[in-house]
Amino acid sequence: MKIEEIEAVMRKNEGLSEQYVLPGNYIIVRLDGKGFTKLTKEKLTLEKPFDEKFGKVMIDMARYLFNTGFKVIYGYTQSDEISLLIDRDDQTFSRKIRKLNSVLAGEASAFFSLQFQEICVFDCRTIAIPNQEMLLDYFCWRQEDAHRNSLSAYCYWTLRNNGFPAKQAAGKIEKMSQAEKNELLFQYGINYNTLPLWQKRGVGIYNKEVMKQGFNPVTNEKVDCVRKELFVEKELVLRGEYRAFLSSIFNVYSH
Ligand SMILES: Nc1nc2c(ncn2[C@@H]2O[C@H](COP(=O)(O)OP(=O)(O)OP(=O)(O)O)[C@@H](O)[C@H]2O)c(=O)[nH]1
Ligand SMILES: [Mg+2]
């Protein structure tokens, strides 16, 4: 075969292998640290189970990802993951899933690695979401996951700090109900209810309209104007209230 013919076959196969987020669907991407259980224990020096710097870098990364060319409506981070809601009409990379996943995973991995001066890798998955109700379900699901994981992580590290070997601590927690986990922490002097909300509920990032004072050089007067600024909510509300909070953000963008 001539090289031109080979090229035509290759291009056709490449094109036919491509997958797209179908029109009319919202796009959610979820980035997740690869092997962070090992990485956080062996390579990074961090507080357990939650580390202020780690949490800050995840928020900074979410803010950074708002400015990588996609029309991001809402960002949510907990533990080593970030979910981004991208607008239904976003046409970046013609909505190619390959491009979304690879570019965003690359951006996240590069950003995080620079902060910790260590090679840290994120994977990325793309999920098509057909309606607002499912968007609310998605973010409530991630918030419940944050809650479950943080309670277990506190129990695990409390047991470890009190002499339990890793396997025994993990085994003990596996069989416990949520109430029993709360009770266990209480026995060791930790009141789960009073721990910082960002650790239990995750953190939301979104554009908020704020009033700013500007200056009109023509009239020489101070003027009030509305600007959009990225806002970080570290004290998210729960369940029904969270749905209402999310709806109010999403409705600004619905057409
Ligand atoms: N020390 C510490 N560890 C954290 C913190 N936030 C997240 N982690 C770790 O990040 C891990 C995230 O777990 P997963 O994403 O479920 O698992 P993983 O090991 O990353 O594996 P894959 O995601 O499947 O590649 C947890 O096990 C925690 O140990 C933190 O603030 N401090
Ligand atoms: Mg991970």
Side-chain angles (χ1 to χ4, degrees), residues 229-248:
E229 260 180 23
L230 265 189
F231 182 77
V232 177
E233 181 54 85
K234 289 187 180 172
E235 300 198 343
L236 287 173
V237 284
L238 272 182
R239 299 186 190 106
E241 278 183 277
Y242 188 44
R243 287 182 96 84
F245 162 81
L246 291 170
S247 294
S248 70

Side-chain angles (χ1 to χ4, degrees), residues 97-137:
I97 291 175
R98 164 183 68 86
K99 289 290 261 189
L100 280 155
N101 286 342
S102 59
V103 169
L104 284 166
E107 295 272 15
S109 305
F111 185 93
F112 198 92
S113 299
L114 278 178
Q115 306 303 310
F116 281 100
Q117 292 297 299
E118 185 67 56
I119 290 182
C120 310
V121 173
F122 280 79
D123 68 26
C124 181
R125 75 197 69 195
T126 294
I127 310 133
I129 305 268
N131 58 54
Q132 275 217 20
E133 204 50 33
M134 277 180 72
L135 289 181
L136 301 179
D137 290 342

Side-chain angles (χ1 to χ4, degrees), residues 15-254:
L16 291 172
S17 303
E18 205 75 79
Q19 289 186 313
Y20 298 83
V21 180
L22 296 179
N25 284 263
Y26 292 94
I27 303 171
I28 284 183
V29 291
R30 185 163 76 252
L31 296 133
D32 188 292
K34 173 182 162 266
F36 269 36
T37 305
K38 194 161 185 258
L39 180 96
T40 51
K41 274 185 195 150
E42 294 176 7
K43 294 265 173 76
L44 312 179
T45 316
L46 301 176
E47 293 290 322
K48 298 170 184 98
F50 289 95
D51 183 86
E52 288 277 348
K53 181 181 174 189
F54 186 95
K56 184 180 178 304
V57 170
M58 292 302 292
I59 293 169
D60 288 347
M61 186 158 103
R63 293 170 63 101
Y64 170 76
L65 294 172
F66 264 74
N67 294 308
T68 44
F70 301 93
K71 195 172 164 196
V72 183
I73 297 173
Y74 181 67
Y76 174 76
T77 177
Q78 58 115 342
S79 184
D80 68 339
E81 72 172 54
I82 293 177
S83 295
L84 299 175
L85 166 61
I86 298 174
D87 192 54
R88 209 167 30 176
D89 297 334
D90 195 297
Q91 295 301 325
T92 315
F93 303 129
S94 311
R95 300 167 75 84
K96 284 177 184 158
I97 291 175
R98 164 183 68 86
K99 289 290 261 189
L100 280 155
N101 286 342
S102 59
V103 169
L104 284 166
E107 295 272 15
S109 305
F111 185 93
F112 198 92
S113 299
L114 278 178
Q115 306 303 310
F116 281 100
Q117 292 297 299
E118 185 67 56
I119 290 182
C120 310
V121 173
F122 280 79
D123 68 26
C124 181
R125 75 197 69 195
T126 294
I127 310 133
I129 305 268
N131 58 54
Q132 275 217 20
E133 204 50 33
M134 277 180 72
L135 289 181
L136 301 179
D137 290 342
Y138 175 86
F139 284 104
C140 285
W141 168 52
R142 294 326 298 154
Q143 196 186 49
E144 283 299 320
D145 186 79
H147 185 264
R148 266 200 315 269
N149 286 343
S150 76
L151 183 58
S152 296
Y154 262 105
C155 289
Y156 176 81
W157 286 109
T158 301
L159 290 173
R160 291 298 312 277
N161 293 338
N162 285 279
F164 283 79
K167 262 198 177 157
Q168 216 179 318
K172 203 168 152 70
I173 294 159
E174 215 176 74
K175 297 184 207 95
M176 284 181 163
S177 68
Q178 299 239 346
E180 285 167 338
K181 286 178 188 170
N182 272 291
E183 185 53 37
L184 173 111
L185 292 179
F186 209 69
Q187 280 167 11
Y188 285 99
I190 299 168
N191 183 352
Y192 184 73
N193 291 328
T194 59
L195 294 171
L197 289 184
W198 66 269
Q199 300 181 358
K200 299 184 284 190
R201 301 181 183 180
V203 175
I205 299 110
Y206 61 102
N207 273 302
K208 197 174 182 175
E209 287 190 342
V210 287
M211 286 295 274
K212 287 268 164 180
Q213 211 168 57
F215 185 74
N216 184 336
V218 180
T219 58
N220 242 358
E221 281 173 340
K222 284 179 185 167
V223 281
D224 287 336
C225 46
V226 180
R227 292 255 172 80
K228 276 192 176 163
E229 260 180 23
L230 265 189
F231 182 77
V232 177
E233 181 54 85
K234 289 187 180 172
E235 300 198 343
L236 287 173
V237 284
L238 272 182
R239 299 186 190 106
E241 278 183 277
Y242 188 44
R243 287 182 96 84
F245 162 81
L246 291 170
S247 294
S248 70
I249 296 170
F250 301 164
N251 285 335
V252 174
Y253 289 88
S254 57

